[in-house]
Amino acid sequence: MQKLAAMKLFGMVDALKTQELDPTARELSFLERLAMIVDQQWSWRENKALARRLQLAKLRLNACAEDIDYRAARGLDKSVIRALTQESVWVRNHENVFVLGPTGVGKSYIACALAQKACRDGYSALYTRAAALFRELALARADGSLRHLLARMGRIDVLVVDDWAMAPLSESERRDFWEICEDRYQTRSTILTSQLPVSKWHDQIGDPTAADGILDRLVHNAHRVEMRGDSMRRKRGPE
């Protein structure tokens, strides 16, 4: 056990301890006991990797696809969500997801739930609000680390940008977001949440050439989750 721990095979250590305390384990063959030990080590490693992916994802909400509430009148199509969460095929196919609707209907929860499911399926993810993303890009441009930041984002399987298109983009924001879209086009997936319909995004981006380029890389392979209804925050009232 000490040698297993030294090799960081902690799942096997736990499995051995369990078998030592379980009299019925002695009735199993060597290969059966070994298989149980290997299974526990595998599960331990997978759980540790998942915990690390979730930590790095920095999801705003502790959201889970299985906990999505379909009872509220928000226009959520359960079949669409189920299709997206089925082994996160949309991530494997490098497709995008737009979660659209008025404030307070749960767009961020849906986005985080999809990203969390992608993490469970073995993909990396990162959550950021649009304003925070552009601040980080501006700082990186100022200190000379922009290329490094863009390269890091280009390796993330699922990039979640919350509150997209809330305000018109500046020239540098358009240019940086174009770079992000170009790096991720047909190689990675992006989730955008927005209060504005997609038809309004062109005006928010501003420059027609940049808008055409960005939207061309985002829209044609995107799934849309369109929500409606009153704010769920108002329905819950003060906490």
Side-chain angles (χ1 to χ4, degrees):
M1 287 188 185
Q2 290 177 345
K3 290 178 180 178
L4 287 171
M7 292 186 289
K8 298 183 179 181
L9 298 173
F10 299 111
M12 300 184 89
V13 173
D14 291 340
L16 272 175
K17 289 180 179 178
T18 300
Q19 289 190 10
E20 287 295 307
L21 297 174
D22 184 4
T24 61
R26 300 187 182 93
E27 301 173 5
L28 301 175
S29 69
F30 169 77
L31 285 178
E32 288 173 328
R33 293 184 65 175
L34 178 61
M36 293 172 64
I37 292 171
V38 172
D39 282 345
Q40 183 123 349
Q41 173 61 31
W42 179 270
S43 297
W44 179 87
R45 189 183 69 169
E46 290 295 296
N47 290 337
K48 189 173 181 63
L50 173 58
R52 178 170 174 76
R53 287 195 298 273
L54 290 173
Q55 181 182 23
L56 294 175
K58 300 178 182 178
L59 298 179
R60 174 185 170 191
L61 300 169
N62 184 23
C64 181
E66 290 79 4
D67 294 336
I68 293 174
D69 184 3
Y70 296 97
R71 294 170 298 177
R74 297 185 289 168
L76 268 182
D77 189 332
K78 186 182 292 187
S79 63
V80 171
I81 301 298
R82 282 181 174 172
L84 289 172
T85 56
Q86 187 69 31
E87 299 181 359
S88 299
V89 175
W90 64 279
V91 183
R92 187 180 67 200
N93 294 338
H94 313 309
E95 297 166 346
N96 303 318
V97 176
F98 302 155
V99 187
L100 311 170
T103 183
V105 294
K107 299 186 299 297
S108 297
Y109 189 96
I110 299 297
C112 288
L114 293 174
Q116 193 253 23
K117 182 59 167 63
C119 288
R120 284 158 52 193
D121 289 331
Y123 299 102
S124 61
L126 176 66
Y127 170 93
T128 181
R129 295 168 83 87
L133 171 63
F134 290 130
R135 281 196 300 270
E136 188 176 5
L137 290 166
L139 289 172
R141 181 181 294 279
D143 65 19
S145 62
L146 182 61
R147 296 313 308 171
H148 175 73
L149 176 60
L150 291 174
R152 180 165 60 86
M153 287 188 172
R155 293 191 295 268
I156 295 167
D157 294 317
V158 179
L159 177 63
V160 183
V161 181
D162 207 356
D163 293 329
W164 161 251
M166 289 283 287
L169 271 60
S170 67
E171 181 182 351
S172 60
E173 290 171 346
R174 285 194 295 269
R175 185 166 59 248
D176 292 342
F177 200 72
W178 178 309
E179 290 282 349
I180 291 173
C181 294
E182 178 66 22
D183 289 345
R184 302 181 63 78
Y185 181 57
Q186 294 187 332
T187 62
R188 298 289 188 269
S189 296
T190 303
I191 300 176
L192 300 179
T193 78
S194 181
Q195 295 182 33
L196 296 179
V198 176
S199 59
K200 300 287 187 181
W201 291 3
H202 198 281
D203 292 338
Q204 292 294 80
I205 295 172
D207 180 78
T209 302
D212 289 343
I214 289 171
L215 294 179
D216 181 63
R217 286 158 178 77
L218 289 173
V219 173
H220 84 275
N221 62 343
H223 303 270
R224 301 191 190 190
V225 178
E226 301 193 32
M227 305 174 68
R228 60 178 182 271
D230 298 328
S231 172
M232 296 181 71
R233 300 189 190 102
R234 288 201 297 267
K235 290 179 181 180
R236 284 197 298 266
E239 296 181 357

